[in-house]
Amino acid sequence: MKFVVCVKQVASLDEEFELLEGGGVDSDFVEWELNEWDTFSLEAALALRESGEGEGGEVVAVTVGEQEAEEALLACLARGADRAVRVWDESLQGADPLAVARVLAAVVERESPDLVFCGVQSSDAVTGSTGTALAGYLDMARVAVVTALSYDAPSSTLTVDRELESGLVEVVRIGLPALLTIQTGINEPRYATLRAIKQAREKPLVTYGLEDVGLDAGAVGVAAGAHTIELQTPERGAGAQLLDGSPAEVAARIVEIVQERMSG
Amino acid sequence: MPGGGTLLQAAVKTRPVFWHLSVGLKIAWYALAVVSVLVFLYGVARPFYKWSRGRGGPWPPYPWRELPARLWRGLQSLLSHRTIARRDRLAGWAHRGIFYGWIVLFAGTVVLGFNTDFTKPVFGLDYFHGNFYLGYKEVLNVLGTVLIAGVLVMMFRRGVLRPRKLDYTRPDRAPGEVHLERRTYRVGDWAFISILLVIALTGFVLEGVRIAMSHPGYGGTQFGGWVVAQALSGVSSATLGGVRHGLWWFHGLLAIAFVASIPYTKAGHMITSYLSLSLRDPLAGKRLAVIPPERASAPAGYGQLQDFSPLHLLQIDACTKCGRCHEACPANATGRPLSPRDVVLELHEQSNVAIGGVLGGLMAGRLDGGGAQDDAVVGQDGVRTETVWSCMQCNACVEACPVGIEQAPIINQLRRRLVEEGELDPNVQSVLQTIHKSGNSFGERNRRRGRWTEELDFDVKDARREPVEVLWFVGDYASFDPRSQRVSRTLARLLDRAGVEFGILYDGERNSGNDVRRVGEEGLFEDLAEHNIAAISECEFQRIMTSDPHSLNTLRNEYPVLGADWQVLHHAELLLELILAGRLDVGGRLSYRTTYHDPCYLGRHNGVYEAPRQILRELGCTLLEMPRNRSNSFCCGAGGGRIWIPDEPGQERPAENRIREAVALQAVELFVVSCPKDVTMFEDAIKTSGNAERIELRELTELVEEALLPAEVAATT
Amino acid sequence: MSDGGVLILAEARQGELREVSLELVSAAREVAAGVGGRVAVAVIDQQAERFANAVGADGVSEVLTVTSPTEHFEAHVWQRALEGLIERERPAIVLAGHTIDSLGFVPAVAARLGLGFAADVTAVWWAQGPRARRGAYGDKLHAELDFPGKSCTLLTVRPGIFAAAPAGSGAAAARAVEIDLDGTARTEHVEFRDVAIGDVDITKAEFLLSIGRGIEDKDNIPRFEHLAERFGATLSVSRPLVDAGWMPNARQVGQSGKTVKPRVYLALGISGAVQHLAGMRSADTIIAVNTDPEAPIFGVAHFGAVADLFEVADELERALG
């Protein structure tokens, strides 16, 4: 079995960030790490490969991102992915989920895996769209927001739990090939030691430009679904009245508010 | 020797060797002796072969040229019984008795054998008579008595006193599980001391029978035998002859069998423990092993016996089950499923099973078979993962061990493999990820590392930008924990006041890696160490100071292996220097009744016991010592990454145990600490143990500042 | 419906119309004028007509029904149905809820048809074209978006942002749209399962004390259970505590947990991920305590304190005597 796991190096913002003139964020205030959801989706792929049914399979980690995104790929290789692919082109700067999915689709098509794993969403953009858009480009069967999965080898079908709102779960069956977007909590992602991360540098990691995956220079612009005009700092705590003072004073105010609202 | 003229010979102050034995029996006797020696030698050689197969370190553990000096130093320790008598004087004296008794009786047999089998037949020289014989008998009688006394004390200890450390019940096994009580060890130990007793006693009885039969008249030098002989007066000579014959064989065969069995039983510690003691590493636990370049791509740490270093394989065979580590271990003392003794014994058993066959089984003390050298040592039937993770890496076990076993470093090696296999607490996993990402365990942006200085009314120098006298390595807790930040500011004010030119690294500093390394994440430690060494190397300074003993240990003992070469001080050492130089005039103004807690990594790991105590005296405080102090200090429970692992609810925390020890002191007011983690752990424990009314915590620095305040007030009025 | 206008995709599950459908009608009002004023609501269901009256709220010009061959939502069927609707009706703006069902097919439609697209938008308006606002960097920033060069823009709108329009009563004309959906299903429904069954029903609680990642240790849970008891509150949690296995699903507030509307919601150590806010933003009074002054929870809270939750918890215990 062959697995492609699509991952993202996400940005988290310091509490005291500064915006640049042009509308972006000063990179000094940004920290990068492998998207939390992707750690679960990678684990799902690795676990399935190790579970006998998928044994001997290959796990390929793919990302769209700049040089720094290789950290995310190394984290995947350290945990057990066999190969990694990074695609980048300057036109992908600030790309939206549709553009990213278009590029991923070009890579996945070349890999022709049995299963594609994506995280439900990324912690920075939180669109929840890239995986499903990718399935759309590939015309691939998919289930979104998966919280459990089991594979039945004889019938080549997966039985998965699809997490719905309000504590409801829908169990569905899906044949291969398929794409799943994986929700947090589905498994316990393994730890990658620093030694493993260093050794992961020995594993194959290729970097492609757009033309390497068969896309032309304008592909990203054509696929993009939206354009960001500007980033703004939200009006903070609109309506939130700030409770100042020592913890004791805060606690006293809370008790007061609760008593007032509960009796009223 | 002809059977006839025995009485005559006795009258000339000697005694017959092989008294009326036929030639056939003599041959049988020598044949048995030879077999015994061969079995002994095989038993000695076999573990050497086993140890040499360990891949995790060099064999021999040290270069050949260093070995004579080490063996000599080991012999000195052994002869003085320094390590054995420490913290257990009774056992020390009893062991001295057994040790010297056994050595001399053994030597006596060799001296006799030398006469009988070498000098007499080869050179016709027989020195076994006259005053030599009398002196020989005198010495052997005295030492035989000493041996018996030692054995009886040990038996009294085991059978009547029954100290907790000699209870072999395993804290890492639940009631009902196999090997819970280790009965075979109990039986083995009793057999060992009983055999010693029987050999010594039959020697005396034999002597007594001989005296009773021959009345040589100088019983004064053979007082042991003489006492027996008095009891035998009136027994007929024929009966005595029969008894003597039987006893001779019994005593002789027992001794021969005992010699043969030495390497296979508890008696084996005569060899392994001496070697282990000789090869002990004075920095064990203080400086953990780096992964050698040739093992860089192999799995880290110990997963199987073949991964062990030869030295550690030797050590796990050297355990005497004395239980001192069991007693000293803070995890064990607070009901966690860990005893360093049982980790070592478990590994020892696996190691013997790995030799294979009945021999291995016998040596393992269990006959249920077992695996080979490539079986995982950690598992449900081996050392359990929860055991490995219960350790606080406080080094109390290493410190307590009389034979130089490195329990904590071995546990650390087990952790390295568990980390690699992902068998770690999710909290630890996320902290490690946080440290990797942000360089500190608080998950704070590194740019905020120096933020604690902002509330000071002077600027703290950036040591990366200007030369300083003292480079202060602040550490995570003192940088980010709000309570410890207060201490850091206090320390900064003191240094400023004393006119010390000091600076910090600001966001150039990372977690020192001490706990990371003790958790077993060696790669991350290397990463952090490389970063810090590079950052510090860029600065101009004379000395490094830190208020964090954990950082101190790693900077002082571990970074040098990676190329650092600095003088590293703890703030207590620097403060004392400033006080003694008159730069901080504390003038004995305080009068608190205090007790001082030695942080594991300042005291045991780095031998700084006196500086903090002397400061307390300079301040005018009364110092009350807790029963467990200095090298026997009791861990607060935060070490070895345990601060990141949640305790099982309902269990006593080590810090609470320690606070109970402190409040038992007469009218104690303050619990003084000198480690940021101690501040957190004990302030919490004072509350949770319900002692907030009885004792308060102070960081040493805070007391120094308090002592300075009245002077200031006095100056302004 | 002629070219242009707004097309709303209503959502139903197990025979019930979901509230987000009527919220979308309110959202559509913000942009309808810019695209000719027409607002159509489409319902895809095995018996789509049954929802026609309800979705035909005030301001809805037309209700479109598409009959699904499957009893329950099926992502591939819905994808084809929405593609068919867009191809036939040629709307300028399509609005769907940012819901779990939508996550399974809406982005695929946008990808395949090359539409303008944004997910989880919190505001829409018209300024020479559709504009939308959504969170960036985990909601710490807002991004303003436009969709240049796109004749049709598909937006998924965050539930709970717009007030739901009152349900209609049949005033809007209904029209069935025939789209061939046979054979498009690629997954097979097995069953629905309620995983959030537990001893407490947090949706019925009047006063919820809710804890999140900020409590750090499993060990600390008893402390807050105790505090909740003293306070007369029911304890609820955010997702990370359920993921970690520290608390059962039944206690989880949020998109994948329960949606709650207590009189008072006291959040300790909850930063306020979008999914969590979706489950509690309609509480009457929200009080939040968090160390991070930028935590999104302060955006919905009525009262906020930037403080250490443990210190506040200790003081609450004390204040409650």
Side-chain angles (χ1 to χ4, degrees), chain B residues 449-468:
Chain B
R449 216 173 237 286
R451 193 158 286 188
W452 62 268
T453 62
E454 286 173 9
E455 281 179 39
L456 293 167
D457 45 20
F458 55 90
D459 287 333
V460 173
K461 291 191 170 70
D462 186 338
R464 297 169 299 177
R465 302 234 165 80
E466 52 187 312
V468 290

Side-chain angles (χ1 to χ4, degrees), chain B residues 540-557:
Chain B
E540 212 178 298
F541 61 93
Q542 287 156 31
R543 298 186 293 180
I544 295 179
M545 178 208 67
T546 176
S547 66
D548 171 29
H550 297 260
S551 300
L552 172 89
N553 181 69
T554 286
L555 265 68
R556 189 186 270 184
N557 299 318

Side-chain angles (χ1 to χ4, degrees), chain B residues 68-359:
Chain B
R70 284 185 171 273
L71 290 170
W72 171 239
R73 276 200 301 275
L75 190 62
Q76 287 173 317
S77 295
L78 179 59
L79 294 177
S80 71
H81 268 55
R82 183 177 58 82
T83 60
I84 303 168
R86 210 163 141 251
R87 288 199 209 152
D88 194 339
R89 295 167 65 98
L90 179 69
W93 283 114
H95 194 276
R96 276 191 184 98
I98 299 173
F99 172 79
Y100 282 106
W102 157 256
I103 286 284
V104 171
L105 292 188
F106 183 77
T109 310
V110 170
V111 165
L112 174 59
F114 193 65
N115 180 73
T116 315
D117 302 328
F118 184 66
T119 61
K120 205 164 127 190
V122 178
F123 300 108
L125 173 65
D126 182 1
Y127 53 75
F128 205 61
H129 54 75
N131 287 335
F132 177 82
Y133 174 66
L134 292 182
Y136 173 90
K137 292 273 36 163
E138 184 69 45
V139 169
L140 259 60
N141 259 277
V142 170
L143 271 302
T145 310
V146 165
L147 168 64
I148 289 170
V151 168
L152 289 177
V153 169
M154 288 303 202
M155 285 179 153
F156 179 73
R157 205 166 149 257
R158 266 172 202 280
V160 182
L161 295 180
R162 292 171 180 260
R164 195 176 73 88
K165 58 186 166 186
L166 291 181
D167 179 355
Y168 294 158
T169 308
R170 298 176 66 163
D172 59 335
R173 293 290 187 268
E177 287 191 79
V178 284
H179 310 310
L180 168 72
E181 291 184 5
R182 297 205 142 114
R183 290 180 58 93
T184 45
Y185 282 152
R186 205 183 303 275
V187 172
D189 287 351
W190 276 107
F192 173 58
I193 45 179
S194 303
I195 288 170
L196 284 180
L197 185 65
V198 169
I199 292 177
L201 284 177
T202 51
F204 278 119
V205 173
L206 205 52
E207 197 175 61
V209 171
R210 195 171 59 237
I211 294 168
M213 284 174 75
S214 51
H215 308 290
Y218 41 85
T221 66
Q222 301 183 29
F223 57 88
W226 186 81
V227 170
V228 177
Q230 302 318 303
L232 295 175
S233 60
V235 180
S236 78
S237 169
T239 315
L240 285 176
V243 167
R244 183 177 181 187
H245 192 76
L247 265 182
W248 193 93
W249 274 102
F250 179 73
H251 176 86
L253 288 177
L254 193 62
I256 273 186
F258 179 70
V259 167
S261 77
I262 285 174
Y264 310 96
T265 63
K266 174 160 181 156
H269 81 274
M270 296 177 202
I271 301 153
T272 52
S273 299
Y274 166 61
L275 286 176
S276 174
L277 185 62
S278 300
L279 301 178
R280 75 185 299 168
D281 173 4
L283 282 176
K286 300 159 190 175
R287 184 245 313 106
L288 296 176
V290 295
I291 296 173
E294 68 273 14
R295 304 267 303 161
S297 56
Y302 296 166
Q304 296 137 12
L305 283 166
Q306 56 192 1
D307 301 324
F308 280 57
S309 74
L311 183 59
H312 282 165
L313 284 177
L314 160 62
Q315 288 174 356
I316 60 177
D317 283 350
C319 176
T320 63
K321 306 188 282 293
C322 73
R324 291 169 199 225
C325 57
H326 180 79
E327 192 176 45
C329 178
N332 186 36
T334 51
R336 277 133 183 96
L338 162 68
S339 159
R341 173 196 71 194
D342 291 313
V343 171
V344 169
L345 290 177
E346 174 63 41
L347 293 170
H348 169 67
E349 288 159 25
Q350 292 187 20
S351 165
N352 279 343
V353 171
I355 284 191
V358 177
L359 194 61

Side-chain angles (χ1 to χ4, degrees), chain B residues 22-43:
Chain B
S22 71
V23 173
L25 279 176
K26 265 200 259 181
I27 290 171
W29 169 255
Y30 275 108
L32 278 174
V34 168
V35 168
S36 160
V37 169
L38 288 177
V39 171
F40 171 83
L41 290 176
Y42 173 76

Side-chain angles (χ1 to χ4, degrees), chain C residues 222-277:
Chain C
R223 209 168 140 177
F224 292 96
E225 281 172 343
H226 183 251
L227 179 62
E229 197 180 310
R230 294 283 295 277
F231 224 148
T234 304
L235 190 70
S236 56
V237 301
S238 67
R239 184 180 182 105
L241 274 57
V242 176
D243 278 352
W246 295 354
M247 289 294 277
N249 292 65
R251 299 268 182 174
Q252 186 193 333
V253 173
Q255 194 175 49
S256 55
K258 304 280 191 187
T259 301
V260 295
K261 291 183 181 173
R263 291 166 80 167
V264 176
Y265 189 86
L266 173 56
L268 302 178
I270 294 178
S271 62
V274 180
Q275 291 83 351
H276 184 79
L277 301 186

Side-chain angles (χ1 to χ4, degrees), chain A residues 55-71:
Chain A
E55 202 159 11
E58 188 184 26
V59 176
V60 185
V62 181
T63 195
V64 172
E66 290 182 84
Q67 176 78 31
E68 300 85 70
E70 290 198 355
E71 291 291 323

Side-chain angles (χ1 to χ4, degrees), chain A residues 122-146:
Chain A
S122 58
S123 59
D124 54 354
V126 208
T127 68
S129 305
T130 311
T132 300
L134 172 59
Y137 283 122
L138 296 168
D139 196 21
M140 191 178 259
R142 100 291 319 219
V143 179
V145 198
V146 170

